[in-house]
Amino acid sequence: MATFLNEPSHTFNEYLLIPGYSSSKCIPANVSLKTPLVKFNKGEEAAISLNIPLVSAIMQSVSGDKLAVALATEGGVSFIYGSQSVSDEAEMVKRAKNFKAGFVTSDSNLKPTNTLSEVVALAEKTGHNTMAVTENGEPNGKLLGVVTSRDYRVSRMSPDLQVSEFMTPLDKLITAPEGTSLKVANDIIWDHKLNSLPIVDEKGNLCYFVFRKDYSSHKQNPTELLDSQKRYVVGAGINTRDYSERVPALVEAGADVLCIDSSEGFSEWQKLTIDWIRSKYGDSVKVGAGNVVDAEGFRFLADCGADFIKVGIGGGSICITRETKGIGRGQATALIEVCAERDKYFEETGVYIPVCSDGGIVYDHHITLALAMGADFVMLGRYFARFDESPSNKVSLNGTYYKEYWGEGSARARNWQRYDLGGDRKLSFEEGVDSYVPYAGSLKDNVAVSLSKVRSTMCNCGALTIPELQKKAKLTLVSATSIIEGGAHDVIQKDQSPSVK
């Protein structure tokens, strides 16, 4: 006979936090949102930690290389979508890893025989004004000079003029030898009032550039998430079908962490995928798994060797799995049970496996609720799809701007690889919809506002860290009536348009 869980499952919107005692030290400026991304042993630190508890969903309409850079700048991680060719995903990872590395591989390169018109076209294509001139036009060719926007004036020069006629030649450049530390490179930049410093090897080949703007960027973004080489930390999605081809390509491209993209993770397919990764790379390649909604599912993936485990089925704004298949669970209930099992597993084994809450986040305060319920970080799709940096198109509908947003289970995504049921390479039916979300501007501005709310609520609970919040939090279920009571009610609100003074 079937097992019946008679207690209803609940969503985030059915809970509220009860304030706790907050000392004078409990101010938002003192709150740390640092949280582990991958598993670690008791008494040790995680190999990778987030500076903010936000990661982006493995979706075509959410996580490209631009969003990966923007989110890592704020301290989170983007998981570049895997429902594309292996080479295209690897190239996205490379672009994100090389975007700002302290030591940057040149992506704008010229030969001395190129023309001014080709220089202008390259600048428009890459958006970069510093272009290396090498013998063969390759990023690691013999350096002959540099072209910047100060070297030419389009209105006064012939479009056919060759680069060799107006570039700044090598003998007028200040360079540094390969092996120069980033600190020394930045000192040279500041001492000589440079915008960029080429790093060359003993044969005169270009290795990297170091840019003044990158130093300034780091000072302006103290929580940015960097690897040991000062490059952005970047994640990537994989599936349980072509992992033997995709994983090596992503590792070579520089991906710091992988995550299996699947509609349901309590499956031997995920075990086979993780087993293959461990046999080839040991523990050096970090891989998350999921999704699950109960303790049994968590325990299975923990025993498989997952580095973090995602929780949530059917709670995404574009997901219709519950409607089409009748499986899933209220996100709050699923998260509470899985996190309790995570803590039990930690007590038994001494291994802490971070939990990611994936789906069900509608309002900013739901992020805080998820953390209080035990999540180490949250994965967001709709939230990030709204921003300039997401890969989807911005469209105008009746005078209002929106961004396109579609599910990986939709016909548009055609991501059959995430459904681990064997059979034909096709979607038999849709589990996601194609939609629009209101355009919201830049990631940076919106994340700052969302996290200010999280920090403020944590202070109300007397907590300055996420583990402290999880220890001190008091949560209460609310009735339908009290949900109504929580919003503006029994008043006529004034017009909030900009014309009102």
Side-chain angles (χ1 to χ4, degrees):
M1 183 175 177
T3 299
F4 290 90
L5 305 180
N6 293 318
E7 185 70 25
S9 62
H10 299 285
T11 66
F12 291 133
N13 222 35
E14 295 175 80
Y15 283 91
L16 286 174
L17 283 158
I18 296 176
Y21 170 74
S22 55
S23 71
S24 58
K25 294 181 180 180
C26 279
I27 59 173
N30 291 338
V31 171
S32 169
L33 294 177
K34 188 171 183 178
T35 189
L37 176 63
V38 296
K39 68 182 179 184
F40 58 92
N41 294 320
K42 187 174 184 179
E44 299 177 358
E45 289 192 5
I48 307 174
S49 290
L50 301 165
N51 289 328
I52 62 172
L54 306 181
V55 302
S56 68
I58 311 168
M59 301 176 68
Q60 295 174 8
S61 55
V62 178
S63 297
D65 52 293
K66 289 183 179 179
L67 193 118
V69 168
L71 185 50
T73 301
E74 300 308 308
V77 167
S78 183
F79 285 91
I80 290 174
Y81 67 92
S83 51
Q84 58 181 321
S85 71
V86 172
S87 59
D88 285 348
E89 185 180 11
E91 189 58 35
M92 276 193 176
V93 171
K94 287 179 184 178
R95 287 201 297 268
K97 293 298 292 184
N98 291 329
F99 182 85
K100 173 193 167 301
F103 296 100
V104 181
T105 301
S106 177
D107 72 346
S108 300
N109 305 289
L110 301 162
K111 291 184 290 187
T113 54
N114 284 126
T115 63
L116 175 58
S117 62
E118 290 172 319
V119 170
V120 173
L122 182 61
E124 290 178 351
K125 178 183 177 181
T126 65
H128 298 157
N129 290 318
T130 299
M131 290 165 267
V133 183
T134 60
E135 273 189 347
N136 57 6
E138 297 296 321
N140 298 119
K142 187 174 182 179
L143 183 65
L144 301 179
V146 169
V147 172
T148 72
S149 57
R150 293 176 297 180
D151 291 315
Y152 61 88
R153 292 185 68 178
V154 175
S155 61
R156 297 191 178 187
M157 295 166 62
S158 168
D160 297 323
L161 190 67
Q162 291 192 345
V163 164
S164 59
E165 298 294 318
F166 60 88
M167 71 181 185
T168 300
L170 180 61
D171 59 9
K172 292 185 178 180
L173 293 175
I174 293 173
T175 64
E178 187 178 15
T180 301
S181 70
L182 187 59
K183 182 181 184 306
V184 170
N186 280 315
D187 288 341
I188 294 172
I189 287 173
W190 285 94
D191 291 344
H192 294 275
K193 300 180 181 179
L194 306 174
N195 286 323
S196 64
L197 176 70
I199 307 294
V200 296
D201 66 18
E202 58 184 12
K203 295 181 180 180
N205 296 316
L206 177 64
C207 300
Y208 308 103
F209 277 107
V210 177
F211 292 97
R212 172 189 289 264
K213 65 180 178 62
D214 289 345
Y215 177 85
S216 301
S217 173
H218 178 63
K219 293 300 180 182
Q220 295 168 5
N221 301 289
T223 62
E224 64 183 350
L225 196 61
L226 306 175
D227 66 15
S228 59
Q229 299 178 53
K230 306 297 183 183
R231 301 179 301 175
Y232 286 127
V233 173
V234 178
I238 62 173
N239 61 69
T240 60
R241 301 286 184 137
D242 64 5
Y243 52 82
S244 61
E245 179 186 2
R246 191 172 295 270
V247 171
L250 296 175
V251 170
E252 184 179 351
D256 299 276
V257 58
L258 307 176
C259 185
I260 301 172
D261 178 27
S262 174
S263 63
E264 197 274 309
F266 195 176
S267 161
E268 186 181 5
W269 298 101
Q270 299 225 350
K271 182 181 188 303
L272 294 172
T273 304
I274 297 171
D275 284 348
W276 186 90
I277 291 172
R278 294 292 176 246
S279 69
K280 296 293 182 180
Y281 299 98
D283 291 327
S284 64
V285 170
K286 308 302 181 184
V287 56
N291 288 20
V292 297
V293 292
D294 64 3
E296 191 178 3
F298 172 89
R299 180 70 64 155
F300 170 77
L301 291 177
D303 291 340
C304 288
D307 285 293
F308 66 86
I309 294 173
K310 291 201 298 167
V311 177
I313 294 176
S317 60
I318 42 69
C319 184
I320 54 173
T321 295
R322 297 180 192 176
E323 293 178 54
T324 57
K325 296 171 69 174
I327 66 167
R329 198 176 193 186
Q331 186 68 9
T333 299
L335 184 61
I336 291 168
E337 180 175 320
V338 168
C339 289
E341 188 67 16
R342 183 266 320 276
D343 294 343
K344 182 180 177 182
Y345 187 88
F346 181 47
E347 291 178 6
E348 294 175 2
T349 66
V351 178
Y352 186 92
I353 303 176
V355 166
C356 170
S357 180
D358 178 18
I361 302 289
V362 180
Y363 305 108
D364 288 342
H365 76 270
H366 289 171
I367 298 172
T368 319
L369 284 169
L371 298 174
M373 291 172 182
D376 296 280
F377 54 96
V378 300
M379 178 172 277
L380 304 170
R382 180 195 61 84
Y383 179 88
F384 288 118
R386 304 173 300 148
F387 302 149
D388 289 317
E389 297 83 357
S390 74
S392 66
N393 295 320
K394 183 171 72 172
V395 298
S396 177
L397 299 176
N398 299 320
T400 301
Y401 282 107
Y402 297 86
K403 293 275 282 186
E404 294 180 311
Y405 180 46
W406 60 94
E408 288 297 297
S410 67
R412 180 172 183 175
R414 301 182 184 277
N415 188 6
W416 61 269
Q417 293 96 330
R418 69 194 304 268
Y419 298 97
D420 306 319
L421 298 174
D424 296 333
R425 298 187 173 196
K426 64 180 182 179
L427 289 176
S428 299
F429 53 88
E430 291 183 88
E431 292 188 41
V433 300
D434 199 344
S435 63
Y436 299 101
V437 289
Y439 167 66
S442 73
L443 179 147
K444 184 179 184 66
D445 293 341
N446 284 274
V447 165
V449 172
S450 296
L451 294 182
S452 70
K453 296 176 184 178
V454 173
R455 292 187 178 96
S456 180
T457 305
M458 287 174 62
C459 288
N460 292 143
C461 296
L464 293 177
T465 66
I466 292 172
E468 190 177 10
L469 174 67
Q470 292 166 349
K471 182 179 179 180
K472 291 184 174 181
K474 293 184 289 184
L475 296 114
T476 180
L477 276 167
V478 295
S479 67
T481 304
S482 58
I483 291 174
I484 297 171
E485 179 187 62
H489 59 91
D490 300 316
V491 295
I492 300 173
Q493 294 193 62
K494 293 182 178 179
D495 183 1
Q496 298 296 310
S497 65
S499 61
V500 176
K501 303 297 184 182

